[in-house]
């Protein structure tokens, strides 16, 4: 049986090394947030280096690239905190609604 060759996991160091991009553009979800989100992401633009890790990993495609900055579509953000957890510069804080 031909099995895929095992490779050692290496943490991506550049956006080109990520295997996939966002699955959907913002606005794909059929319903907007109905008020159940308890925390929201807030970005510190002084700390952000625009590496786009958050953009690639947001499960809802809620993060957009706008004029060299990231922006959040709060109609669709569910407040999961993945973006804040994965930001290598700790540039995203989750704050209470
Ligand atoms: S992961 Fe952090 S540093 Fe990278 S674009 Fe997002 S907020 Fe900026
Ligand atoms: S909190 Fe979750 S849904 Fe909202 S922008 Fe961050 S990763 Fe995406």
């Amino acid at each position: 049986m031909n099995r895929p060759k095992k490779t050692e996991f290496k943490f991506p160091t550049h956006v080109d090394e990520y295997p996939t991009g966002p699955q959907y553009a913002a606005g794909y979800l059929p319903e907007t947030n109905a008020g159940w989100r308890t925390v929201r992401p807030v970005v510190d633009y002084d700390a952000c280096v625009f590496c786009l890790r958050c953009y690639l990993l947001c499960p809802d495609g809620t993060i957009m690239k706008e004029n060299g900055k990231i922006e959040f579509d709060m109609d669709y953000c569910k407040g999961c905190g993945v973006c804040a957890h994965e930001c290598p510069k700790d540039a995203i804080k989750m704050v209470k609604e």
Side-chain angles (χ1 to χ4, degrees), residues 41 54 57-60 62-63 72 76-84 94:
C54 57
L57 296 179
C58 170
D60 291 329
T62 302
I63 300 176
F72 302 94
Y76 296 96
C77 170
K78 62 190 172 196
C80 66
V82 167
C83 53
M94 301 303 291

Side-chain angles (χ1 to χ4, degrees), residues 34-89:
W36 43 261
R37 186 181 58 225
T38 55
V39 287
R40 62 165 57 207
V42 174
V43 64
D44 174 358
Y45 289 110
D46 290 332
C48 174
V49 295
F50 201 56
C51 70
L52 297 180
R53 183 168 168 79
C54 57
Y55 168 83
L56 291 169
L57 296 179
C58 170
D60 291 329
T62 302
I63 300 176
M64 303 165 290
K65 296 180 282 185
E66 298 287 344
N67 302 319
K69 287 183 169 182
I70 58 159
E71 299 280 354
F72 302 94
D73 185 340
M74 288 303 170
D75 279 349
Y76 296 96
C77 170
K78 62 190 172 196
C80 66
V82 167
C83 53
H85 186 268
E86 295 298 326
C87 174
K89 296 296 180 184

